[in-house]
Amino acid sequence: MVACEIDEATTAIEMVSAGLGVGFGPAWYLRSPLAASRAPFSPVRLAAPSAERVLRLFWREGAYVSEAARRFRDHLTASLMAT
């Protein structure tokens, strides 16, 4: 059972360091200065890692959007909707 999901590397390192479970993330998490300053970790290398992440494009409705930002948003929207 997953009790908590977090997206922030610092929080994951702090929680595991405090003994609040296990963490799952990229190898660079453990190469960070924060991880190096905490209790030793026991990393396990995955034989065939595969991961997927869902990203969202968002903006404040009704707020000013610069021409560059609008063009970038429109380009992304058109490109992603085509796939």
Side-chain angles (χ1 to χ4, degrees):
M1 178 176 101
V2 175
C4 178
E5 282 187 50
I6 50 177
D7 293 333
E8 175 59 41
T10 302
T11 305
I13 291 166
E14 292 286 9
M15 290 181 76
V16 172
S17 182
L20 298 175
V22 299
F24 182 80
W28 65 262
Y29 275 24
L30 299 181
R31 291 191 302 264
S32 72
L34 177 63
S37 71
R38 298 297 184 259
F41 294 97
S42 297
V44 174
R45 184 183 196 111
L46 301 177
S50 178
E52 190 174 298
R53 175 166 273 196
V54 176
L55 300 175
R56 302 279 188 237
L57 175 65
F58 57 96
W59 58 93
R60 186 173 157 192
E61 195 171 330
Y64 169 78
V65 178
S66 71
E67 176 68 15
R70 185 189 59 74
R71 291 180 70 183
F72 180 63
R73 177 192 67 195
D74 293 349
H75 170 74
L76 284 177
T77 303
S79 298
L80 297 173
M81 296 301 242
T83 59

